[in-house]
Amino acid sequence: MTAPTTATDVNQPSLEHAPPAGRRMSWPVLLLVIAGALALTSIVRLITGANGITNVSQMSTALQLAVPIGLAGLGGLWAERAGVVNIGLEGMMILGTWFGAWAGFQWGPWTGVLVGIVGGCLGGLLHAIVTITFNVNHIVSGVAINILALGATRYLAPLAFEGHQGGSAKQSPPVDSLGHFSIPGLSDWLESLNNQHWFFVSDIAGLLGGLVTNVSWLTLLAVALVPATWWILWRTAFGLRLRSCGENPIAAESLGVNVYKYKYLAVIISGGLAGLGGVFLSIVANPFYLEGQTSGRGYIGLAAMIFGNWMPGGLAIGAGLFGYTDSLNLRGGSANVHALLLLGALLLVAGAIWLAIRKKYVKAAITFVVGALVFAWYAGTNEVPNQVVSATPYVVTLVVLALSAQRLRMPKADGMQYRKGQGK
């Protein structure tokens, strides 16, 4: 990042509305791609008869599973845009699950939400002190926080939950619900339309129906945080200064930006968002804390952030994708995953054709062969093993990251150690 020439450049966010460098997909093109993918999915649904892959219940479950992943990813985005790698998202989510349930069963679910966020912020504060003040390697600090959070909650759970009705050494007493809502009329109409199983129209109805049926208030808050994050980081002076710390902290310091302050704020906010994702797991997804509840969602959130190229919109799409594949475990998993093998084969063949048009013949041939093998798997079987269904979210995570790696562009100073005054 080239340093601006005057302090005015840092104080006026209008000079940098867009993220730095790299080709970005415009909204019309993005919507066209999403519509094409949905149309292809509809074709697969009609061929296989697997109506469950786009029904309202499937989409509603996918949204619920995507929320904690998306919140963890937002937490990672805030930290890394300020130049701090946050591998400790998993540990901060664990703190959120424990503190949220601990306060929730005693003083109510909304108190649990606030205390869970504070628990995540404490993890973020610890990570900030270790990495920013003492310049410890960011990866080492994050891994240590994950281990520390797991150990601390295992120690505290028996002390806090045993002796209470429904509580044990590994589980909290139940927490009251935050409440759910459906939009009257619209929800029923979309579900009825989805049940018609028409091409494309029913699939859109299923997608939209999942967004307005049996939705938690915390889900609504989480969804609102995506555009809020974009507006704060890309449309305010505060956001511009924070991102300058992740691009070139020396240049930012030379223009009067308190780099330490912005890094600390970003990492604490990062912990709070991850903690909120943990709260969602222990109050909304399940009305209690359970040891091992996060199941690696902090790491998947980090993968969603990378897939989204350190942008809130891309992160949301990544979280939705991972949430959808995870939902296959809960609703007709084997049949739905078997149907999606056909979708994967068609996508690979389409990718091979695209590569061939661009005269990348070797890559096109490899992609086509892989697509043919996936189609052979689909045609030669009637279902897939349960182990494959369980592994689907993690396989999709690896495949998507591998395919998108070449277009990624992280903040230039992400993970680099910084000392105040080092540019003098």
Side-chain angles (χ1 to χ4, degrees), residues 85-170:
V85 175
N86 193 355
I87 297 293
L89 291 169
E90 178 78 5
M92 296 168 197
M93 286 189 78
I94 292 173
L95 293 175
T97 60
W98 191 91
F99 278 98
W102 170 72
F105 88 87
Q106 298 181 89
W107 302 301
W110 285 109
T111 303
V113 171
L114 295 176
V115 175
I117 292 173
V118 171
C121 287
L122 290 175
L125 177 62
L126 178 60
H127 188 51
I129 292 171
V130 172
T131 58
I132 300 169
T133 301
F134 294 103
N135 262 340
V136 173
N137 181 276
H138 298 189
I139 306 298
V140 173
S141 173
V143 172
I145 287 174
N146 292 337
I147 297 171
L148 179 62
L150 182 60
T153 52
R154 280 182 177 175
Y155 173 76
L156 292 171
L159 300 177
F161 302 142
E162 284 186 340
H164 295 276
Q165 186 175 3
S168 68
K170 295 187 177 182

Side-chain angles (χ1 to χ4, degrees), residues 75-367:
L77 185 147
W78 273 85
E80 299 208 11
R81 278 296 176 181
V84 179
V85 175
N86 193 355
I87 297 293
L89 291 169
E90 178 78 5
M92 296 168 197
M93 286 189 78
I94 292 173
L95 293 175
T97 60
W98 191 91
F99 278 98
W102 170 72
F105 88 87
Q106 298 181 89
W107 302 301
W110 285 109
T111 303
V113 171
L114 295 176
V115 175
I117 292 173
V118 171
C121 287
L122 290 175
L125 177 62
L126 178 60
H127 188 51
I129 292 171
V130 172
T131 58
I132 300 169
T133 301
F134 294 103
N135 262 340
V136 173
N137 181 276
H138 298 189
I139 306 298
V140 173
S141 173
V143 172
I145 287 174
N146 292 337
I147 297 171
L148 179 62
L150 182 60
T153 52
R154 280 182 177 175
Y155 173 76
L156 292 171
L159 300 177
F161 302 142
E162 284 186 340
H164 295 276
Q165 186 175 3
S168 68
K170 295 187 177 182
Q171 179 177 316
S172 73
V175 181
D176 292 337
S177 174
L178 289 169
H180 295 75
F181 71 92
S182 298
I183 298 179
L186 179 60
S187 175
D188 294 335
W189 178 68
L190 288 171
E191 185 168 7
S192 175
L193 193 60
N194 177 246
N195 290 333
Q196 299 299 319
H197 306 313
W198 293 334
F199 170 72
F200 195 66
V201 174
S202 292
D203 301 287
I204 293 179
L207 177 61
L208 297 178
L211 301 178
V212 298
T213 303
N214 200 31
V215 178
S216 166
W217 293 106
L218 201 57
T219 300
L220 192 64
L221 173 62
V223 172
L225 285 172
V226 174
T229 292
W230 172 83
W231 185 81
I232 292 171
L233 292 183
W234 275 272
R235 286 295 185 271
T236 67
F238 170 83
L240 179 55
R241 295 187 189 107
L242 186 148
R243 289 186 294 118
S244 71
C245 297
E247 294 292 338
N248 193 330
I250 296 175
E253 181 189 355
S254 70
L255 297 169
V257 175
N258 188 332
V259 177
Y260 277 11
K261 181 183 79 172
Y262 282 94
K263 284 180 176 286
Y264 260 89
L265 285 173
V267 179
I268 292 171
I269 292 171
S270 172
L273 289 168
L276 183 59
V279 169
F280 189 93
L281 292 173
S282 62
I283 293 182
V284 177
N286 296 296
F288 49 81
Y289 162 82
L290 185 66
E291 186 177 305
Q293 201 164 22
T294 56
S295 300
R297 287 180 175 85
Y299 299 113
I300 298 179
L302 197 63
M305 178 204 68
I306 296 171
F307 164 78
N309 209 10
W310 288 264
M311 292 292 295
L315 182 157
I317 294 173
L321 175 63
F322 302 140
Y324 177 76
T325 54
D326 201 9
S327 71
L328 297 175
N329 288 322
L330 303 179
R331 295 186 174 275
S334 181
N336 289 340
V337 171
H338 183 258
L340 291 179
L341 287 176
L342 178 58
L343 177 62
L346 293 175
L347 289 173
L348 286 168
V349 171
I353 294 172
W354 172 249
L355 289 170
I357 292 173
R358 299 179 65 188
K359 299 182 179 180
K360 297 181 178 181
Y361 300 115
V362 175
K363 291 182 179 180
I366 294 173
T367 304

